[in-house]
Amino acid sequence: MKEPIRRLDRRAEAALLKPVRLVVAALILRPGSPETQGIDEILICQRKPDQPMSLKWEFPGGKIEDGETAEQALVRELHEELGIEAVIGRRVAQIRHKYRNGGAIDLQFFVVDQFDGQLDNRIFNDMQWSPLTALPDYDFLAADLGLIRDLSEGKLL
C-alpha cells in the first residue's frame, strides 16, 4: 500500500522563501582609560522594548540596501543611528545565522576606530562603552554570541 504524500509544514515552506538579509555592524572602539585599567572599550547598544528581540544588546549597524557596498551601508547606518561620520576599517568577521523563525542573516562586522561628530543616541534604548572582557555579561542577540566570545577572549582585535 502506498503512503500518502505529506505536505511540507507551512513554516518550513515559508522559511525556504525568505531571502537572507545582508547586514553590517560596527565595532566602535576606544582606547582603554585608567578607569578600565587600560582595557580597550567597545560601544554596545540596547534595542528598545517595542522592537523585535527587545532589550537585547547589539552593535550599531543595519541592513545593506540595494546598490550599496557593506562599507557604504555602515557609514549610512551609523549616521542615521548615532549621528557620526565613521571611517570604516577592516572587516573582522562574517557570520551567517539562522533564527528559529526561519529567517537568516549574513552579518559582517567592521572595526571603526575613527569618526567625526559626537555620539547621539537616535534609536536605542541605551548605549554603553564596555570593556571587551565584560561583553559576555550582557544579553546579546543570538547571532552575535560567537563574536562576543572571541572579542572577550582577545581573539579578533
Side-chain angles (χ1 to χ4, degrees):
M1 184 161 146
K2 287 186 177 179
E3 291 203 22
I5 296 174
R6 291 181 292 161
R7 287 192 49 79
L8 283 175
D9 180 333
R10 292 222 183 268
R11 286 176 299 186
E13 216 172 82
L16 293 173
L17 301 174
K18 286 185 182 179
V20 174
R21 284 185 316 157
L22 303 178
V23 181
V24 288
L27 305 177
I28 301 177
L29 303 170
R30 74 176 183 185
S33 63
E35 297 89 46
T36 63
Q37 291 131 17
I39 297 171
D40 289 345
E41 294 179 305
I42 191 165
L43 184 69
I44 58 174
C45 303
Q46 187 182 44
R47 289 179 173 223
K48 288 187 174 181
D50 60 347
Q51 288 180 295
M53 296 177 263
S54 64
L55 301 177
K56 293 279 190 179
W57 289 89
E58 64 183 346
F59 298 104
K63 220 168 79 170
I64 300 173
E65 301 292 343
D66 288 340
E68 286 182 320
T69 66
E71 292 85 354
Q72 290 167 335
L74 193 52
V75 167
R76 176 184 51 75
E77 288 284 347
L78 294 177
H79 180 74
E80 291 172 5
E81 294 179 354
L82 304 174
I84 60 173
E85 297 301 323
V87 177
I88 308 303
R90 69 184 173 92
R91 184 175 72 184
V92 295
Q94 185 167 3
I95 297 167
R96 173 86 45 118
H97 182 78
K98 194 171 199 169
Y99 286 98
R100 278 189 231 145
N101 69 1
I105 62 171
D106 183 284
L107 181 54
Q108 297 180 62
F109 294 91
F110 291 86
V111 170
V112 172
D113 54 12
Q114 295 178 43
F115 60 86
D116 289 326
Q118 292 293 324
L119 291 171
D120 178 24
N121 181 357
R122 296 180 174 178
I123 68 159
F124 297 106
N125 188 60
D126 192 11
M127 295 184 342
Q128 292 184 25
W129 288 102
S130 171
L132 293 169
T133 54
L135 290 175
D137 298 339
Y138 293 88
D139 186 17
F140 272 89
L141 294 170
D144 295 342
L145 295 178
L147 178 83
I148 295 302
R149 183 190 62 242
D150 289 349
L151 286 171
S152 69
E153 294 173 0
K155 293 181 180 175
L156 292 177
L157 302 174

